[in-house]
Amino acid sequence: IKIILKERKISQEQLAKEADISVWTLSKQLNGVYKLNIDVLYALFRLCPDLSADWLLFGKGETTKQ
């Protein structure tokens, strides 16, 4: 997720706001301290509608939908 945020120039603040969580909580999730919240994934897909769920969740295929 950090790679996607960097490549698409999306800040942690933007993603946290879209997911309706604090930046602190998001940071803990991205660093593996907390388990990733499904709301973060939904927010990421809203911000990046072309992102492939198969790639993000299972590591299969391309990063974007074909």
Side-chain angles (χ1 to χ4, degrees):
I1 292 177
K2 289 180 181 180
I3 293 169
I4 295 295
L5 295 178
K6 185 176 181 179
E7 285 178 355
R8 297 183 182 222
K9 297 181 172 90
I10 298 170
S11 68
Q12 286 189 18
E13 291 81 7
Q14 287 174 288
L15 183 56
K17 183 177 180 180
E18 185 72 24
D20 197 28
I21 61 173
S22 72
V23 175
W24 184 85
T25 299
L26 177 62
S27 178
K28 294 292 185 185
Q29 290 179 18
L30 293 178
N31 289 311
V33 176
Y34 296 158
K35 289 185 178 182
L36 196 59
N37 184 313
I38 192 71
D39 293 331
V40 172
L41 294 177
Y42 287 149
L44 187 58
F45 288 125
R46 282 193 300 274
L47 292 170
C48 306
D50 65 324
L51 189 62
S52 167
D54 283 337
W55 176 80
L56 185 63
L57 299 174
F58 307 111
K60 296 180 180 178
E62 300 296 321
T63 58
T64 57
K65 295 177 189 174
Q66 300 271 332

